[in-house]
Amino acid sequence: MEKFFGELDRYLFHNGTHYELYNKMGAHLREVNGVNGVHFVVWAPNAKAICVVSDGNGWTPWADVMQKVDDAMWELFVPGMCEGVKYKYLVVRADGSEVYKSDPYAFRSELRPATASIVADLEKYKWGDKDWLAEKKDENFLEKPMAVYEVHLGSWKKDLSKWDEDQYFNYRRLAHEIAEYVKWMGYTHVELMGICEYPFDPSWGYQVTGYFSPTARYGSPEDFMYFVDYMHKNGIGVILDWVPAHFPKDDYALANFDGTPLYEYGDPLRAEYPEWGTKAFDLGKKEVSNFLIASAFFWVEKYHVDALRVDAVAAMLYNSFGRQEWRPNVNGGNENLESFEFFRHLNSMLRSRTSAFLIAEDSSIIAGVTKPAKSGGFGFGLKWNMGWMNDTIKYYNTDPIFRPYHHGLMTHTFEYAFNENYMLVLSHDEVVYGKGSMINKFIGSKQDKLGSLKTCYTMMMGHPGKKLLFMGQDFAQEREWNFETGLDWFLCDDEGHRDVLNCFRTLLHIYRERAVLHNDCGGETTCEWINSGDYNRNIFTFIRRNPWNYNNALIFVCNFAPVERYEMGVGAPVDGVYKRIFSTYPDGSPLEITAREELCDGRKYKLVFNLRPYESCIFEVPYHESTPQEEAKEKTVRSRIKKEYKEATSDFSHVPKTEVPEHLTAKPAAKKRTAKTNLNASVKAQRKNLI
C-alpha cells in the first residue's frame, strides 16, 4: 500500500518546510481500497514501537501496531475507525518503558482531566465568511483601524443556569453575545486568551498540550469554527494567543515524547524555563520548527483566524531568559539565533501566503521586530508596546502633586512611537497578581479615579499605535480579574461606571472614523506636540494629522490634574473655527471656538476655553483646500506606503532553500514507482532490524 505520508512529505518535514503538515500528520479520515478508516502518522525517531489504543479497540494494547516507515516516522491505517473515536499512542521508549501519549497533531481533545485525543473531521463545516476573506486578501492592516477587545472566554460571563463548577458558555453562544457587545462598543477585533488545548486552568491557556486543537472547555472544533465565522459575518476580526516558546511537562503530552528530549532541548542549560516549570522548544531541530510553523498556518487556514499574538517572544530571543545559568550562542552572545531564524522564516511565509500576520508580545530591547527579514528584522506585523504600558501606568500610579516630576514618562513614549509597528496594550497581565484593575491604578476619590481613567483612555486613543484593552476595563471593573468568576457586569448600572463605558465607546467610534488616528503608515509627521512641557499643570496637548497637511487633523488636550483651568490657551496650527467633538464630561456638548491670531505654544493661532478637572477634549481642525505642493506630497507618501507594504509581504530572504531531489518532482508515474521502491526497501530494513 502506498504510504499516506509520502517520500516528498518526509523530505519537506525533515527540512522544516512542510507548511501544510497538519493535512498529513495526526489522525485523518481516509478511504483505502474502498474501505473507510483512519490513518495515523506520528514522528518518534527514538521509539522502539508504537501502537494506537482507542475506544474503538477497547483500549487494547498491541491491537493496532504502527509501522516505522523510515528512521523517524510511524504510520498505520485502521479500517472501520470513524470520527469521534478517542485514542492515544502507546509509545515504547528507547529504554523499553511504556507511556501513553496524546497525539501532538490531534484536531480535537478530551475535556480535562481526561487526556485522550479524538478523531475529528474539519472539512464538514460550511463557512460563510467568503466576503470577509476576500476583503482582507490584499488589505494593508496598518492603514486600517484595529481596536482589540481581549477576552478570556471562561470568565467573560458565566452561565448561571448550569450546575457544574465551570458554568462555561459554548463557543456558539459566546459568538452571539460577544459579537453584539463588540459591535455596539466599536471594537474591530477580539483577541482570545488560551484557545489551544491545555490541562491547567490557572495557566489561562499558556501551557499548551494541543497545538492543533481548540480547547474542549467551550465546545467542539465545529463550534469554534462557528465562533470565528460569526465574528467575520459581523465584521469582527479574530486574534488568537499562540505559545511557541514552551510547553508543560505533563507525561501524556510532548515532554520526552519518545523517551528522549524530542520537542525540547537536550542541553540541560536550555531545556527548561525554571521560572515557569516548562520545557523550551528546540527550534534547532527542523521537525520541531516545522511543527510550530504548521500550527500557525493551521489556525489561519483551517479556522480562518486573522492574526496570532505570539506569547513570550522575549523568552525565545534570549538564552538567559529566566535562567541563572545559560548557554551562549556560537558567537558567545546571549541571543537565541535559532529563534531569530524561526521568526524570520515563519513571518516571511505567513505574510506572503496568507492575509494573516503575527503580533509579538515582546519586552526585549532588540530592534526591528516588525521590520522585514531582509532588513535585519523579524517580520512581525505588530509589536506590543510594553514600554508605553509600563511608563504610563507608573505615571497613573503617581499622586497628581508629584506627577510634574514624572511628566517625561508620558512624553518619552512619543519619541519612539514609529520605531516599530506598535500596538498599545492594557492587557490581562496588568490587572492580576496584586496590580489592581485599571481604575485602581489612580489616586484619589472614586470620582477622581473615574475622571482619571477617562483621560487615560483619551490619551491612549490619541497616541500612535493600534489599541488593545482587556475585558471589564472599559466599564471600570473595580476588582482584579479572576479567571474563575465572571465580570461584574452589574457595575454598568452605576452612573459613574456607565459614564466610563459610554466615554470609551465614543472614543472607539472616533478612532474608527478618523483615519489620522488609525492609519499608522504615515510616520513621525502624523503626530506633533503642541506643548510637551506643561508639567506643572499635568496637561498634554498634541495633534494627530496626515503627513501632508492639517486637513482632518485632531487636537488632543488631556488634563491629568484635579484642577480646573480657566481661559486655557492652546496653540493651533491654522485659522478658522475649531469644533470640540469630544469631552470626557458627559455634558460636554459640541463647542465651536474661533482661533485667535495670537502667538501660543510657538504657533500663530490660539484656542481659548475652560478645561475642567481631569477633563480631556478632542478638537477638529478646520478644513482648508490642499495646495498643489500638498497634493504632490500626498501622492508621494501613498506611493511609499504601498511599496513598503509590498516589500513586507514578499520577503523570502530567510526562507530555507529546499532543493527537492529530482526523483520527487518527476512525472507522477515515475514518482510513484520511485517512492514505492524506496518505501518497500525501508520497510524491509525495519523488519530486519526488529527481528
Side-chain angles (χ1 to χ4, degrees), residues 377 381 470 543 565 571 666:
F470 184 56
I543 302 175
R565 305 298 179 183

Side-chain angles (χ1 to χ4, degrees), residues 376-450:
F378 296 138
F380 281 92
L382 293 167
K383 174 180 175 175
W384 275 22
N385 194 334
M386 311 295 277
W388 171 86
M389 177 271 296
N390 286 316
D391 286 347
T392 55
I393 287 179
K394 186 176 180 180
Y395 181 84
Y396 301 152
N397 278 326
T398 303
D399 190 295
I401 295 176
F402 302 107
R403 281 180 180 163
Y405 304 103
H406 302 277
H407 196 79
L409 291 172
M410 298 289 277
T411 58
H412 171 63
T413 62
F414 284 81
E415 296 174 7
Y416 61 86
F418 298 97
N419 290 354
E420 304 275 5
N421 300 327
Y422 280 120
M423 175 178 283
L424 308 185
V425 292
L426 295 172
S427 73
H428 66 275
D429 279 330
E430 310 321 313
V431 294
V432 291
Y433 297 144
K435 297 177 184 176
S437 61
M438 283 304 301
I439 187 174
N440 288 317
K441 296 185 186 303
F442 295 92
I443 307 298
S445 66
K446 183 173 181 179
Q447 195 64 31
D448 289 339
K449 293 179 178 181
L450 290 170

Side-chain angles (χ1 to χ4, degrees), residues 174-200:
L174 284 164
H176 286 261
E177 297 205 15
I178 291 177
E180 181 181 13
Y181 179 75
V182 166
K183 285 181 68 176
W184 179 77
M185 282 295 293
Y187 293 103
T188 63
H189 293 70
V190 293
E191 180 177 320
L192 305 181
M193 297 171 57
I195 288 302
C196 294
E197 191 58 83
Y198 61 102
F200 186 50

Side-chain angles (χ1 to χ4, degrees), residues 156-319:
W156 186 70
K157 279 185 182 179
K158 291 292 186 180
D159 188 348
L160 301 181
S161 66
K162 291 183 177 180
W163 290 93
D164 62 87
E165 181 180 353
D166 295 327
Q167 295 183 312
Y168 291 147
F169 284 154
N170 179 273
Y171 285 119
R172 294 176 185 254
R173 181 173 174 183
L174 284 164
H176 286 261
E177 297 205 15
I178 291 177
E180 181 181 13
Y181 179 75
V182 166
K183 285 181 68 176
W184 179 77
M185 282 295 293
Y187 293 103
T188 63
H189 293 70
V190 293
E191 180 177 320
L192 305 181
M193 297 171 57
I195 288 302
C196 294
E197 191 58 83
Y198 61 102
F200 186 50
D201 285 23
S203 78
W204 311 331
Y206 296 108
Q207 294 189 9
V208 176
T209 54
Y211 278 83
F212 297 82
S213 176
T215 179
R217 288 166 174 80
Y218 318 116
S220 68
E222 282 192 51
D223 292 334
F224 184 55
M225 288 178 176
Y226 181 90
F227 180 96
V228 178
D229 199 18
Y230 191 80
M231 290 293 164
H232 286 174
K233 289 176 182 177
N234 283 272
I236 302 166
V238 179
I239 302 170
L240 299 189
D241 283 2
W242 186 62
V243 191
H246 60 124
F247 57 92
K249 298 179 181 179
D250 300 69
D251 286 341
Y252 74 90
L254 294 177
N256 294 300
F257 189 81
D258 62 358
T260 64
L262 187 63
Y263 288 88
E264 63 268 48
Y265 284 105
D267 184 342
L269 294 184
R270 306 184 73 185
E272 297 185 12
Y273 290 107
E275 182 180 356
W276 299 328
T278 55
K279 298 282 190 178
F281 277 109
D282 182 356
L283 296 176
K285 295 175 184 171
K286 298 292 187 182
E287 296 86 355
V288 175
S289 172
N290 204 158
F291 169 80
L292 291 170
I293 289 174
S295 172
F297 271 94
F298 171 79
W299 294 105
V300 173
E301 298 290 357
K302 293 296 185 181
Y303 285 94
H304 297 193
V305 303
D306 301 283
L308 297 172
R309 195 276 279 176
V310 183
D311 185 64
V313 169
M316 301 177 69
L317 297 181
Y318 295 118
N319 291 322

Side-chain angles (χ1 to χ4, degrees), residues 41 44 58 61 67-68 71 120 179 290 294 315 355 411 422 510-511 527 548 558-559 597 616 662 667:
V41 181
Q67 184 180 72
K68 198 171 187 181
D71 291 337
N290 204 158
S355 60
T411 58
Y422 280 120
I510 292 173
Y511 169 75
C527 183
W548 44 88
C558 300
N559 180 15
E597 190 171 347
S616 286
E662 186 176 349
K667 293 181 180 179

Side-chain angles (χ1 to χ4, degrees), residues 45-75:
N46 300 301
K48 280 190 172 182
I50 301 179
C51 61
V52 178
V53 291
S54 68
D55 54 7
N57 61 22
W59 299 101
T60 305
W62 309 109
D64 294 312
V65 181
M66 302 189 77
Q67 184 180 72
K68 198 171 187 181
V69 296
D70 67 3
D71 291 337
M73 311 303 300
W74 299 77
E75 286 196 49

Side-chain angles (χ1 to χ4, degrees), residues 47 113 147 151 216 260 368 375 435 442 475 478 504 513 543 588 621:
V151 181
T260 64
S375 301
K435 297 177 184 176
F442 295 92
F475 61 78
E478 293 183 320
F504 194 71
E513 294 163 3
I543 302 175
V621 176

